[in-house]
Amino acid sequence: PEWNQVFAFSKERVQSSELEVFVKDREMVGRDDYFGRVVFDLNEVPTRVPPDSPLAPQWYRLENRRGEGKVRGEVMVAVWMGTQADEAFPEAWHSDASYVHGEGVFNIRSKVYVSPKLWYLRVNVIEAQDIIPNDRSRLPEVSVKVQVGNQVLKTKICSTRTANPLWNEDLVFVAAEPFEEQLVLTVEDRVHPSKDDVLGRINLPLNIFEKRLDHRPVHSRWFNLEKFGFGVLEADRRKELKFSSRINLRVCLEGGYHVLDESTMYISDQRPTARQLWKQPVGIVEVGILGAQGLLPMKMNNGRGSTDAYCVAKYGQKWVRTRTILDTFSPKWNEQYTWEVYDPCTVITLGVFDNCHLGSAAAARDSQIGKVRIRLSTLEAHRIYTHSYPLIVLHPSGVKKMGELQLALRFTSLSLAHMIYLYGHPLLPKMHYLHPFTVNQLDNLRYQAMNIVAVRLGRAEPPLRKEVVEYMLDVDSHMWSLRRSKANFFRIISLLSGMISVGRWFGDVCHWKNPITSVLVHVLFLILIWYPELILPTLCLYMFLIGLWNYRFQPRHPPHMDTKLSWAEAAHPDELDEEFDTFPTSRSHDVVRLRYDRIRGVAGRIQTVVGDIATQGERFQSLLSWRDPRATSLFIVFCLCAAMVLYVTPFRVVALVGGLYMLRHPRFRSKLPSVPSNFFKRLAAQTDSLL
């Protein structure tokens, strides 16, 4: 018999000084009986360190059960002390997974996956000729429906009723190599608002279309349409037809775009689809997935909590999955992976999951334990970062820390000049800027690309399951969440807080709250007025000094998930329940009505702020629009006088007088609003024209 099976024992769990290899018959498996055995002293086992060649197996004669001499028969065995870098390690049967059976044996092994190569398929529906409606007493209202796999798009109905309709509309789809789907095009006639008659259709394989690398035009082609049902019911008469309707299409596979299958905020790859357009890599990122600590129990096993954890890392088109460490809350993977980096302003994503496919519950879903994102631009080149990152998951009951993920990272730069060049280069390929997609198109195409990637990786062996891929790609990042809205609002407030602080400081200077500071600002102002050529150099030097000062406070480790920034700790349970609700909603009418009223209240405040901003803008417009004749007359007379004064007065004098007026002492100030402020607030806006 031949087995060609490798068994792996963790050195930390070995408590014996001998290794015994037994040869049994199938009928002896449940008993202590066996044909023979071979015993190895672990102290004499050789050590193999790659890149050494594999250890050659040898024949060993079997001992009988009582150890009284040899029995007939030999077994070929190779025994060595190795590392996880051994070629045999990924396919080995590990001692801590001995109870896994069936398909679960394959689901616990480490694997490397590659995302399918995605293309944008652009279908330009130009025109059709000789369209014959089913009811020949009327002219047709024609539209075209195009389907690729599960993606369906329709053109608008032709504006004129004619047998030769014209559309000239672009429809864009996502297609993946190898091209398994066909382009199915259907011409429809709107005979009733709720009914369309199919006038013809055509099926086209995707591999007949040209692959375009730039924005050069593609030649259009005419295709004959088959009458609906004719190709199935009357195949023998097809050759007899000498007349058929036809449609003019311009179809191409776009190789100059990068197909977005993840959020642009966490993008990990920006290369165009066509390999001919790829640049040389600028660096290499090495990730050591060491282990995890303090994981929480994810399921019940024999009456106690257990976790069977594995880690998934995604960067670019390459996905990696570590082996599953069974029944432990502190798994140790110690696996290292490498990716080529084509742009440092990208993000690598690592997620930890609980394996629920060990042979017993095949229909279960792998549970999420947590996720870590690391932006490569935050890593210093050639430095090794070793750190534990918290695994934080948001549940309907609130935010929960599920444990910590221990990582070692190193980013190696291959070309500093190329790296500097990239920082001035567009983020995406140039086709995204020459012929951009709309925001709605990008959202729809991203959703379709995610589905294609999830389906293709789910067909691998072992599969990288749909729930894992969707969690790694943030498939629901575009959904409404009151918590995210609050987080983004306070992010804006934190940005404006710096400007507000500067404004308050300048107000204190103008009101002489600190006389020494006010005097120093006056001196600096007079120097800059006398030497205006020093303004820009002084500003640049000031920013340089601030940058040097802030170098002391740079983070020692790459940033990770921040619960305060995400507004997760202060989120109300009902807000979290709304965030985890399905779309469309599955909650009761009373709950939906309550949430709708809450959104109306939030939207009312936003509406007020937007209206105030619009009012200020309309007041600026009304300065010269003669909406208020007296205000416009006063303003243009003031502009004429100001122009005459400024023509004869040197700019330094104007700046000096204006600056000293703003910095004047409170003794010369009035508590009432200034004249320009009063004049501006009296200007007319269009609010009185609103219903």
Side-chain angles (χ1 to χ4, degrees):
E2 293 185 6
W3 298 284
N4 291 323
Q5 178 66 54
V6 180
F7 299 91
F9 298 87
S10 175
K11 195 173 182 179
E12 300 173 353
R13 300 190 179 187
V14 173
Q15 298 178 351
S16 174
S17 60
E18 292 183 343
L19 170 68
E20 296 177 295
V21 179
F22 296 92
V23 178
K24 293 186 176 184
D25 185 35
R26 181 187 296 270
E27 298 178 356
M28 300 178 180
V29 172
R31 307 197 304 267
D32 293 335
D33 199 7
Y34 54 86
F35 282 137
R37 68 171 185 169
V38 179
V39 181
F40 297 91
D41 186 354
L42 293 183
N43 296 321
E44 302 297 329
V45 172
T47 300
R48 182 213 167 198
V49 180
D52 293 351
S53 299
L55 193 68
Q58 301 181 33
W59 288 103
Y60 294 90
R61 185 172 295 276
L62 297 172
E63 297 179 355
N64 63 12
R65 181 173 183 178
R66 299 179 181 178
E68 299 172 355
K70 306 293 182 181
V71 298
R72 296 180 61 184
E74 295 179 329
V75 62
M76 179 177 282
V77 180
V79 181
W80 71 94
M81 294 285 187
T83 64
Q84 292 187 190
D86 287 342
E87 299 86 349
F89 185 82
E91 303 298 328
W93 195 348
H94 299 272
S95 59
D96 57 358
S98 57
Y99 63 86
V100 179
H101 59 278
E103 293 293 328
V105 176
F106 301 100
N107 288 326
I108 64 173
R109 293 175 176 170
S110 59
K111 281 292 180 182
V112 176
Y113 305 85
V114 178
S115 295
K117 189 175 183 179
L118 301 177
W119 295 78
Y120 283 139
L121 175 68
R122 187 187 295 271
V123 181
N124 180 220
V125 183
I126 304 175
E127 60 177 331
Q129 289 184 353
D130 303 324
I131 299 296
I132 302 175
N134 295 334
D135 182 5
R136 303 199 178 190
S137 63
R138 55 180 288 276
L139 290 173
E141 299 180 41
V142 186
S143 64
V144 177
K145 182 175 73 175
V146 185
Q147 181 173 358
V148 178
N150 296 325
Q151 308 168 64
V152 180
L153 295 176
K154 291 185 68 173
T155 66
K156 297 178 181 177
I157 297 177
C158 182
S159 57
T160 58
R161 291 192 173 194
T162 175
N164 301 313
L166 176 67
W167 298 280
N168 197 22
E169 289 189 33
D170 270 356
L171 306 177
V172 185
F173 304 86
V174 179
E177 289 187 358
F179 300 123
E180 300 174 350
E181 295 87 4
Q182 287 192 331
L183 177 69
V184 181
L185 187 142
T186 308
V187 178
E188 299 179 344
D189 177 20
R190 174 64 58 88
V191 295
H192 189 270
S194 60
K195 181 182 178 183
D196 292 331
D197 279 352
V198 178
L199 305 182
R201 66 181 299 167
I202 186 173
N203 293 355
L204 300 171
L206 299 185
N207 51 17
I208 68 172
F209 301 124
E210 181 181 352
K211 295 179 179 178
R212 185 170 72 165
L213 305 183
D214 51 21
H215 58 281
R216 60 184 175 82
V218 178
H219 296 294
S220 62
R221 296 168 60 183
W222 288 95
F223 296 94
N224 292 331
L225 294 171
E226 296 179 1
K227 295 195 70 175
F228 182 65
F230 183 78
V232 178
L233 301 177
E234 304 179 21
D236 296 336
R237 290 185 52 198
R238 188 186 307 174
K239 298 180 181 179
E240 300 177 9
L241 281 182
K242 297 182 180 179
F243 171 81
S244 67
S245 305
R246 61 178 190 164
I247 190 167
N248 191 13
L249 303 175
R250 183 180 289 112
V251 188
C252 66
L253 292 160
E254 298 281 9
Y257 290 89
H258 169 70
V259 180
L260 296 167
D261 60 348
E262 52 195 344
S263 173
T264 53
M265 297 295 102
Y266 322 122
I267 194 168
S268 64
D269 189 13
Q270 300 157 353
R271 292 171 293 171
T273 300
R275 185 178 289 270
Q276 302 94 306
L277 302 178
W278 290 5
K279 307 293 185 183
Q280 292 296 319
V282 298
I284 294 174
V285 60
E286 301 165 272
V287 179
I289 305 174
L290 306 180
Q293 287 183 340
L295 299 183
L296 299 182
M298 300 299 295
K299 56 179 176 284
M300 298 301 294
N301 187 9
N302 296 327
R304 63 183 183 86
S306 68
T307 299
D308 306 315
Y310 67 93
C311 183
V312 175
K314 193 264 182 189
Y315 183 77
Q317 296 181 344
K318 179 180 174 181
W319 299 65
V320 299
R321 169 180 173 160
T322 67
R323 67 188 186 98
T324 301
I325 307 297
L326 303 179
D327 197 15
T328 177
F329 301 133
S330 299
K332 301 293 182 184
W333 293 292
N334 293 320
E335 299 185 22
Q336 180 176 342
Y337 298 95
T338 303
W339 286 267
E340 290 183 332
V341 177
Y342 292 85
D343 194 313
C345 301
T346 46
V347 176
I348 183 171
T349 305
L350 302 101
V352 181
F353 302 87
D354 177 54
N355 196 335
C356 297
H357 296 82
L358 302 180
S360 57
R365 291 167 58 92
D366 288 352
S367 304
Q368 307 161 2
I369 298 180
K371 180 167 56 180
V372 174
R373 299 191 200 98
I374 298 174
R375 186 169 293 275
L376 300 189
S377 58
T378 62
L379 304 177
E380 295 182 15
H382 311 288
R383 175 183 169 185
I384 299 177
Y385 292 85
T386 304
H387 189 56
S388 294
Y389 297 87
L391 297 171
I392 300 172
V393 173
L394 193 64
H395 293 284
S397 58
V399 66
K400 183 181 293 184
K401 182 180 178 182
M402 308 295 290
E404 292 184 348
L405 178 63
Q406 297 173 320
L407 298 175
L409 296 103
R410 180 172 62 184
F411 173 63
T412 304
S413 174
L414 301 179
S415 172
L416 180 60
H418 194 185
M419 188 90 66
I420 296 173
Y421 165 76
L422 280 178
Y423 272 87
H425 201 66
L427 194 65
L428 294 171
K430 63 179 182 180
M431 284 295 291
H432 285 269
Y433 307 97
L434 298 178
H435 294 282
F437 295 118
T438 64
V439 175
N440 288 336
Q441 271 185 315
L442 284 177
D443 286 342
N444 294 330
L445 292 172
R446 172 176 171 261
Y447 179 74
Q448 299 298 338
M450 284 182 176
N451 284 338
I452 292 175
V453 171
V455 170
R456 290 291 180 92
L457 294 180
R459 286 159 48 183
E461 188 60 42
L464 197 61
R465 304 190 181 275
K466 183 179 180 181
E467 62 269 19
V468 175
V469 176
E470 290 182 347
Y471 182 64
M472 296 289 289
L473 294 179
D474 292 283
V475 70
D476 59 347
S477 62
H478 65 289
M479 298 297 291
W480 156 259
S481 166
L482 189 60
R483 176 190 60 83
R484 287 199 195 105
S485 301
K486 287 182 179 179
N488 291 330
F489 173 76
F490 283 102
R491 286 172 62 197
I492 295 175
I493 294 299
S494 65
L495 290 177
L496 298 178
S497 63
M499 301 173 59
I500 295 173
S501 299
V502 172
R504 289 177 178 172
W505 172 83
F506 186 72
D508 293 342
V509 169
C510 294
H511 288 84
W512 291 72
K513 294 292 181 66
N514 189 336
I516 297 177
T517 304
S518 298
V519 170
L520 292 177
V521 170
H522 277 75
V523 173
L524 178 62
F525 173 70
L526 293 175
I527 293 174
L528 294 179
I529 288 296
W530 194 256
Y531 301 102
E533 63 273 9
L534 296 179
I535 295 177
L536 290 179
T538 303
L539 183 62
C540 293
L541 180 62
Y542 184 62
M543 289 190 291
F544 170 75
L545 295 176
I546 291 177
L548 285 183
W549 178 262
N550 289 339
Y551 181 77
R552 303 167 53 206
F553 309 107
Q554 67 169 344
R556 295 184 177 181
H557 304 285
H560 50 78
M561 304 289 186
D562 190 339
T563 55
K564 292 184 178 180
L565 181 66
S566 305
W567 208 252
E569 296 178 345
H572 192 272
D574 186 62
E575 296 174 3
L576 296 177
D577 183 69
E578 180 184 17
E579 184 171 344
F580 284 91
D581 190 9
T582 58
F583 187 85
T585 181
S586 57
R587 300 296 187 263
S588 64
H589 294 293
D590 293 337
V591 173
V592 174
R593 185 180 294 110
L594 176 65
R595 292 173 180 172
Y596 175 66
D597 291 338
R598 182 176 61 201
I599 292 178
R600 288 177 65 190
V602 174
R605 290 192 290 270
I606 296 175
Q607 171 184 286
T608 302
V609 173
V610 173
D612 291 341
I613 295 174
T615 298
Q616 308 308 320
E618 289 170 355
R619 284 173 175 168
F620 272 109
Q621 290 181 341
S622 66
L623 285 171
L624 297 172
S625 65
W626 294 92
R627 184 177 177 85
D628 183 344
R630 283 174 292 276
T632 303
S633 301
L634 289 172
F635 181 70
I636 62 174
V637 170
F638 169 77
C639 290
L640 177 63
C641 297
M644 296 173 62
V645 172
L646 293 176
Y647 268 121
V648 299
T649 307
F651 176 75
R652 289 184 181 179
V653 175
V654 175
L656 178 63
V657 173
L660 292 177
Y661 176 77
M662 292 184 63
L663 296 172
R664 67 192 184 278
H665 195 273
R667 183 178 301 175
F668 305 104
R669 293 179 181 272
S670 172
K671 293 184 178 181
L672 298 178
S674 62
V675 173
S677 175
N678 294 332
F679 180 79
F680 181 76
K681 290 178 180 178
R682 289 177 177 273
L683 293 174
Q686 297 186 24
T687 51
D688 49 352
S689 300
L690 293 176
L691 290 175

